[in-house]
Amino acid sequence: MFNRLRQSFGLSPPEPSAGSSTTYDWDSAGAGQTLSGETPPPSSVDSAPPPPSGGFAFRKVLTEEERAALKAREEAEQRAREEQIRRQLEATQRKLEEEAHAKGQFAKKEKAQYNDKVVDPSLWVPCLIVGVHFDDGPEKPYYTIRFDRGGEEIEKQTQVERLRAAPVEK
């Protein structure tokens, strides 16, 4: 009787096609309960828009294969978004470095070399510019750098005379 009543109002779930293992559960709007009284796990139900207030809706319960395919697609989309953000950040960093080099300066997050006179006056060690400071005016910046000295990470401030551009990595 209940099934005929649902069908008369056009509320019955679509019949699965031959050979299909997809099932549909009857769900009261917002209740989150299936006909069997169990709450389906959130990952097993596709993201359909909510039904009108006070109405009923069918939610497709995904098979394991469909769930795995959906997860793989979402992970691929996330990796693509992260790659796009990484490329945008790299492009922005290159632009900042080019602008700084045009002024004879270094940019924040740029790789450079530092003349570490503490160890050897002729020694140039790789460093990272972690800050650019203009306290003495825009023409004379000083830099906060980070580098490794004998296994210890050092962070210190220095002037442009003690820095040079890092060799281009290929």
Side-chain angles (χ1 to χ4, degrees), residues 135-156:
D135 297 350
D136 297 333
E139 305 82 35
K140 192 168 169 116
Y142 65 95
Y143 303 92
T144 302
I145 62 169
R146 189 177 297 143
F147 65 98
D148 186 58
R149 181 189 292 154
E152 180 183 358
E153 188 173 275
I154 306 290
E155 186 170 304
K156 65 178 294 179

Side-chain angles (χ1 to χ4, degrees), residues 63-150:
T63 64
E64 290 296 322
E65 295 83 21
E66 291 171 325
R67 196 173 310 134
L70 178 64
K71 183 176 180 180
R73 186 176 71 237
E74 289 173 348
E75 289 173 351
E77 290 171 355
Q78 179 66 24
R79 283 191 303 273
R81 282 191 298 271
E82 290 171 355
E83 178 64 21
Q84 180 182 11
I85 290 170
R86 186 187 60 77
R87 283 194 305 266
Q88 288 173 341
L89 290 174
E90 287 176 355
T92 301
Q93 181 65 29
R94 279 191 302 274
K95 181 181 175 194
L96 289 173
E97 290 176 12
E98 289 169 2
E99 290 173 358
H101 290 181
K103 298 176 190 175
Q105 301 172 353
F106 292 94
K108 186 176 181 177
K109 297 183 183 177
E110 182 177 356
K111 293 179 182 177
Q113 290 185 330
Y114 170 68
N115 186 347
D116 191 5
K117 292 182 180 180
V118 172
V119 177
D120 180 2
S122 63
L123 179 65
W124 289 88
V125 296
C127 69
L128 178 68
I129 309 290
V130 294
V132 181
H133 313 282
F134 297 100
D135 297 350
D136 297 333
E139 305 82 35
K140 192 168 169 116
Y142 65 95
Y143 303 92
T144 302
I145 62 169
R146 189 177 297 143
F147 65 98
D148 186 58
R149 181 189 292 154

